[in-house]
Amino acid sequence: MTADATALVVPVPPPASKVPHVRTHHGDTFVDSYEWMRDKESPELIDYLQRENRYAEAVTRHQEPLREAIFGEIKERTQETDLSVPARKKGWWYYSRTEEGKQYGIQCRVAAEDTGDLGRDWTPPEVVPGRPVEGEQILLDGNELAEGKPFFSLGGLSVTEDGTLLAYSEDNAGDERFTLRIKDLGTGELLPDEVPNVFYGLSFAPDGTRVYYTVVDDSWRPYQVRVHTLGTPVEEDAVVYQEDDVAMWTGFEVSADRTQLLISIGCSEYSEYRVLDLADPGAGLTTLVPRDERILYDAEPVTIAGVPHYLLTHDRDAKNSMVSLVAASEFARPLADQEWTTVLAHDDAVRVNGLTVTRTHVVLSVRKDTIERVQVLPLAGLGTPDQGQPTEPDFDEELFTSNLANAEFDSPIIRLSYASYLTPPRVYDYVLEDGTLALRKETEVRGGYDPASYVAERQWAPAADGTLIPLSVVRRAELSQDGTNPAVIYAYGSYEASMDPAFSIARLSLLDRGIIYVTAHIRGGGEMGRSWYDQGKKLAKKNTFTDFVDATTYLADSGWVDAGRIAAMGGSAGGLLMGAVANLAPEKYRAIVAQVPFVDALTTILDPELPLSALEWEEWGNPITDAEVYRYMKEYTPYENVRPVAYPRIAAVTSFNDTRVLYVEPAKWVAQLRETTTGSEPIVLKTELDGGHGGASGRYSRWRDVAWDYAFAADAVGATAVLARSTSSVV
């Protein structure tokens, strides 16, 4: 066969067997022909997924040069040999670095000085990428740990107070079950202690003799906090706390002052804290506000005038949350009799996300005007008429994100991260005493990046009910409002998660091809406060999907975008969004990229034995017990609502070992789409057979995953060539 003849061969999708499976709830029967794909051990399934990968490869083979170009642009723009700004903990400066050609980070430290000069002692040492650091000690080299393994991810790191031992956990399958190990930093040797099947989150006790960690149950729900005493058999590890409510998530952290273990149990609507005095762990746990009070709160201990207190970030009569100071002794009394002193009052325009403390200040995380920012408040006078007002660093961009990166309890400074759509990530030190900012680092973007070549702006799209949906729009500065430009619109819209302004080197590859990149901050997210979230969950969930469609309509009518050149993209719950809008308005999208998409949500949530399904009830409702929730979900869940219309080209990208959204959901969805569509656009399923929820591990592998997704979208909207006037493109 000649090359020309080969090019004319049209790839044929693999046929999917149909085995009727009947699901009946609340008098409704649904026949599922592809539920057989849930059998992960089935040789037929493995063969089918491999054939789907070959089909996806054949359909997108012409995109390979574009994928390689985007990957090359990401690689060339990235400072591959780089390091984080050192952060001080006790007598050491800790940092991570990367080296060109290596997939994984390297965790390091150098000794700190104590001269008595606070400015000098808390100024991080100057470390230059690619230059050996005098006195550097390598704690962990991810490249060595990953050697010979199909997957590698760190789940947690903790160093003892005296700096002699390191606890870390690693996952080699992508299923988010980690193995905990202990390393002697003096000898470099591993201790015999090894704890399998732990979850995220681990911490040494202050005395360094014990390690706390979490464990998941059979449905991957974190339900236990355990403690391992060094030198003892794992079988003797004690259960500090176990949560039996299948709808509650359990986690822990050590308090900022290192005196208490704070165990948090909660869902999206209410929570409970149980605390352990680390100086006297035998005394057992103390409950603060019990869950029966239905208050959603976080707690942090603080000592005021020698008296133990807690700072609570809570939603008691405060939808957007507020901060109260409560003496520890108050929690022994009925809630109605307790005295809570307001530290930060409720504000309908300000969402309070949480706080931490140093020895001298409270550090607050708040969201105002959709933007996340950091505020500080002195502890002196806290809760009294002499209390000061929160202050915050002053930044000069309209759309940015400022987060707390590090706040050591005894430090006179806090470390802030800063980024925007146009500004690469920056690291600042903020002096608590006088509010001065010191820029410690701005991530280098190689290849002549010029932020003046781009524009980032806020626009507002009207929803059908009159609600204004904030959009973040990023584009090349020279584009004209002539209705010819391609666009990619992205959103998430669930779990009160906010899609905050952030810099992306990969996104430059889309912008430089003339694509207008839009993030739609739709209801169900947290960008506009708690009410914004409430208007996009449970029996209001459809707002999330219609908001996205209305945002797309606004773009198509804006004069900036060609209505026939719009691609949509979203992942996980945002992948459910992609499936829903594909059913609602397939004609509005040239292509849809659904990343690890939660498209068979009803089947999953109806089975509490499946991973994490019971935890979803507070987000979507409980269709098992509530017929109205079942009916409502049945009306929007993508898999059940595939209909005979001309669907756009669709790429469903998933991972075989993902425990959050099982591979079976996109696999079934793609089969049903192909069976039902009246159009001729290709619908492909791409499965990473060694990956987890975030895809493959290793930065180069992740860059290739991003390049694949972006090439699929860019090819669909006809934006494969870099703009002629793009001065920031890599040459």
Side-chain angles (χ1 to χ4, degrees), residues 388-404:
Q389 292 299 311
T391 59
E392 66 180 61
D394 185 25
F395 299 111
D396 59 4
E397 291 185 269
E398 176 192 11
L399 303 178
F400 68 89
T401 302
S402 177
N403 290 313
L404 178 67

Side-chain angles (χ1 to χ4, degrees), residues 355-401:
L355 61 83
T356 189
V357 297
T358 71
R359 191 174 293 281
T360 59
H361 286 75
V362 181
V363 184
L364 301 156
S365 171
V366 303
R367 183 177 299 279
K368 183 179 180 181
D369 300 326
T370 78
I371 300 301
E372 188 170 7
R373 54 194 80 206
V374 174
Q375 296 181 341
V376 297
L377 186 64
L379 280 176
L382 197 69
T384 73
D386 296 328
Q387 176 184 302
Q389 292 299 311
T391 59
E392 66 180 61
D394 185 25
F395 299 111
D396 59 4
E397 291 185 269
E398 176 192 11
L399 303 178
F400 68 89
T401 302

Side-chain angles (χ1 to χ4, degrees), residues 309-462:
H309 287 72
Y310 287 89
L311 281 166
L312 302 185
T313 304
H314 65 89
D315 69 349
R316 185 185 183 190
D317 301 321
K319 179 174 279 290
N320 270 343
S321 292
M322 60 183 290
V323 178
S324 297
L325 180 67
V326 186
S329 58
E330 291 292 308
F331 295 111
R333 306 167 62 192
L335 179 64
D337 298 333
Q338 294 175 16
E339 182 177 339
W340 291 23
T341 301
T342 297
V343 171
L344 188 67
H346 178 257
D347 187 333
D348 286 334
V350 179
R351 177 75 164 106
V352 183
N353 296 322
L355 61 83
T356 189
V357 297
T358 71
R359 191 174 293 281
T360 59
H361 286 75
V362 181
V363 184
L364 301 156
S365 171
V366 303
R367 183 177 299 279
K368 183 179 180 181
D369 300 326
T370 78
I371 300 301
E372 188 170 7
R373 54 194 80 206
V374 174
Q375 296 181 341
V376 297
L377 186 64
L379 280 176
L382 197 69
T384 73
D386 296 328
Q387 176 184 302
Q389 292 299 311
T391 59
E392 66 180 61
D394 185 25
F395 299 111
D396 59 4
E397 291 185 269
E398 176 192 11
L399 303 178
F400 68 89
T401 302
S402 177
N403 290 313
L404 178 67
N406 188 56
E408 282 299 307
F409 185 69
D410 292 313
S411 173
I413 63 100
I414 57 174
R415 177 70 50 79
L416 303 179
S417 62
Y418 175 90
S420 76
Y421 291 113
L422 306 183
T423 302
R426 290 176 176 173
V427 175
Y428 288 96
D429 278 348
Y430 180 84
V431 181
L432 292 168
E433 184 65 28
D434 59 16
T436 57
L437 278 172
L439 178 62
R440 298 302 186 193
K441 180 180 181 178
E442 178 171 309
T443 300
E444 180 182 354
V445 181
R446 302 170 61 192
Y449 169 70
D450 179 7
S453 297
Y454 306 88
V455 173
E457 58 189 5
R458 172 58 44 78
Q459 296 182 20
W460 298 86

Side-chain angles (χ1 to χ4, degrees), residues 30 73 133 258 359 431 498 618 642 656 686 699 730:
F30 175 69
E73 291 161 11
V133 180
R258 307 290 295 170
R359 191 174 293 281
V431 181
S498 298
E618 298 303 329
V642 173
F656 191 56
K686 175 174 171 282
R699 57 177 175 163
V730 178

Side-chain angles (χ1 to χ4, degrees), residues 66 70 110 137 165 167 182 212 322 324 359 530 562 608 628:
L66 180 57
I70 294 175
V110 293
Q137 179 183 10
L165 297 175
I182 312 293
Y212 293 93
M322 60 183 290
S324 297
R359 191 174 293 281
R530 183 71 181 189
D562 180 345
E628 184 179 11

